[in-house]
Amino acid sequence: MKKYKGLISQLLFVICFAVFWQCYANYRGVMGFPPLSDIFSELFSCFTSDSRPILKYMGNSLLMIVKGLGIGAGLALVFSGLSVTSEIFNSIYNLIVSVFDLLPGVALLPILMITVGANDTSTLILVIHSVIWPMSRSIIDGFRTTPKIYVEAGKNIGLKHLSLITGVYIPSSFANMLSGIKVGWARAWRGLISAEMIFGAAQSAGIGVFINNARTVWLDYAGVYAAIILIIIVGVIVEYGIFRTIEKVTVRKWGMIG
């Protein structure tokens, strides 16, 4: 019972919140604050609707986030690996990471709209920007904390450059890499939806476009909340279903974190 105490507390909180929402919405009848019954009814109808297929919108967003995460993580790994092999590159890249990691992705939207246009390419660049810098920072920190005895042992058995990075640095800093990609995912997910809402109807309309249309075109406030709930569900699945599972079967199993 003690094992499930936290889960039970969370469920009770959600139930109490839902009851309060439903009662307040029915009592006040405020426009833009629909009852939960209407929200979930709208969510169900959007799953089966041909004119507003919410799953298609969400699928476009997830496809974009997967592309951005893949490219951003790959670039972060390559550049962070180069920073280990070259002191000059390490100094320059650390400066670049320090500058761009503090720059919100949304701040780049005006520049991207002018230079690239309000299209999927701009959105992809924004996602990559949201991923590459926090992940690079985490990887570099992990490389720095790699015990020197591991590095020396790798060199003694003939590992050099790329083989030293893949055989020593990456395994020893996998917990940092996982932490970095989790932060990058969270930033990229928020940035992607913001970009979709600002750009409006891009080439591949994502869930942000759905929210924008529900608010301005369809005047469907229940649809706005339905999309937000779906975004939360996807976030929870990614966090607890994917990242926590990877963490459990890797770094926790290996004893790298408690």
Side-chain angles (χ1 to χ4, degrees):
M1 185 65 180
K2 187 177 180 180
K3 181 180 179 181
Y4 300 102
K5 187 176 180 180
L7 179 60
I8 294 172
S9 300
Q10 292 172 347
L11 288 175
L12 288 175
F13 172 78
V14 171
I15 292 171
C16 292
F17 179 80
V19 171
F20 171 78
W21 181 298
Q22 184 73 13
C23 293
Y24 181 81
N26 287 330
Y27 175 71
R28 298 287 295 180
V30 180
M31 184 178 181
F33 197 87
L36 284 177
S37 54
D38 293 348
I39 294 173
F40 283 102
S41 175
E42 180 64 24
L43 181 62
F44 177 77
S45 66
C46 287
F47 274 106
T48 58
S49 173
D50 293 328
S51 59
R52 289 184 283 173
I54 195 170
L55 287 181
K56 183 178 180 181
Y57 285 90
M58 179 58 76
N60 290 334
S61 292
L62 290 176
L63 181 61
M64 183 65 69
I65 205 79
V66 169
K67 287 181 182 178
L69 277 173
I71 296 173
L75 291 175
L77 194 56
V78 170
F79 292 145
S80 300
L82 289 174
S83 69
V84 174
T85 61
S86 171
E87 284 293 333
I88 296 176
F89 184 85
N90 179 55
S91 300
I92 296 173
Y93 191 59
N94 268 285
L95 174 62
I96 294 173
V97 171
S98 298
V99 171
F100 283 98
D101 192 31
L102 300 174
L103 183 64
V106 178
L108 293 175
L109 286 179
I111 298 174
L112 291 174
M113 293 179 72
I114 295 170
T115 57
V116 183
N119 50 42
D120 287 351
T121 304
S122 294
T123 307
L124 182 61
I125 293 172
L126 180 66
V127 173
I128 294 172
H129 166 80
S130 301
V131 174
I132 185 172
W133 312 122
M135 189 167 181
S136 292
R137 186 183 291 276
S138 295
I139 294 174
I140 292 172
D141 289 343
F143 286 175
R144 285 175 177 168
T145 56
T146 299
K148 290 184 178 181
I149 190 172
Y150 294 172
V151 179
E152 294 301 325
K155 290 179 178 179
N156 288 336
I157 62 175
L159 299 181
K160 294 181 180 179
H161 305 303
L162 181 60
S163 58
L164 189 65
I165 293 171
T166 57
V168 177
Y169 282 106
I170 291 179
S172 67
S173 59
F174 189 79
N176 295 76
M177 293 172 59
L178 186 59
S179 176
I181 200 167
K182 286 167 69 175
V183 174
W185 144 260
R187 287 190 183 183
W189 190 228
R190 294 194 299 266
L192 171 65
I193 296 170
S194 300
E196 290 174 345
M197 293 180 67
I198 293 172
F199 286 164
Q203 294 167 335
S204 299
I207 194 66
V209 176
F210 181 94
I211 293 174
N212 191 56
N213 288 343
R215 181 181 65 87
T216 60
V217 180
W218 306 323
L219 299 178
D220 180 13
Y221 298 111
V224 173
Y225 285 104
I228 291 173
I229 289 174
L230 187 58
I231 290 170
I232 294 172
I233 292 172
V234 169
V236 170
I237 291 173
V238 172
E239 174 66 26
Y240 291 93
I242 298 178
F243 287 135
R244 291 290 179 91
T245 301
I246 294 175
E247 185 180 273
K248 183 178 179 181
V249 300
T250 55
V251 292
R252 286 191 183 276
K253 186 177 180 181
W254 301 335
M256 299 177 72
I257 61 175

